[in-house]
Amino acid sequence: QVQLQESGPGLVKPSQTLSLTCTVSGGSITTNYYYWSWIRQPPGKGLEWIGYIPYSGSTYYSPSLKSRTSISRDTSKNQFTLQLSSVTPEDTAVYYCARGGSLTPRGTYYGEDYWGKGTLVTVSS
């Protein structure tokens, strides 16, 4: 059973960098053909995909957040990390990490099948 757990500060000041870590258990983040995502949900709004880091280690970001986003991984700890710079109160949200994937190297992404419980990050001075 794959489990994901988000961790990081619950309060970040405007203009600072939000940093969250997702710790994965029950499966390796380098296993073919899984993708490890960050997704957020602002209060009263829908889910917003931020980006993912696939098994290969390359990264893909939402165009609207790309200039402020960095996703990396530590394979020795089986963790992947989100950094979102220059945050504003509009970045206040519950942040989730999740696993998705495809059946083949160039196959269609089938969506997320395992999620962390989410962590609320508030951007406020």
Side-chain angles (χ1 to χ4, degrees):
Q1 179 79 3
V2 176
Q3 293 184 317
L4 299 94
Q5 178 66 57
E6 305 89 351
S7 60
L11 179 64
V12 182
K13 288 181 168 37
S15 79
Q16 292 188 342
T17 296
L18 178 161
S19 183
L20 295 173
T21 296
C22 183
T23 301
V24 179
S25 59
S28 171
I29 62 173
T30 60
T31 298
N32 296 344
Y33 302 107
Y34 293 122
Y35 292 63
W36 304 92
S37 297
W38 286 101
I39 297 164
R40 70 182 183 180
Q41 185 169 30
K45 298 184 179 180
L47 294 170
E48 178 182 23
W49 179 75
I50 300 170
Y52 55 46
I53 183 166
Y55 58 97
S56 61
S58 45
T59 52
Y60 300 86
Y61 304 124
S62 167
S64 64
L65 296 170
K66 184 177 182 179
S67 64
R68 300 194 290 128
T69 306
S70 177
I71 297 175
S72 59
R73 68 181 184 177
D74 185 335
T75 57
S76 67
K77 296 181 180 178
N78 216 37
Q79 296 176 331
F80 61 106
T81 299
L82 168 70
Q83 290 192 309
L84 183 66
S85 63
S86 304
V87 297
T88 71
E90 285 66 43
D91 293 308
T92 294
V94 176
Y95 285 76
Y96 298 92
C97 57
R99 188 191 82 169
S102 61
L103 299 180
T104 60
R106 295 183 176 84
T108 302
Y109 185 72
Y110 57 64
E112 293 74 34
D113 54 4
Y114 287 96
W115 293 71
K117 294 180 179 179
T119 186
L120 174 64
V121 178
T122 301
V123 179
S124 175
S125 55

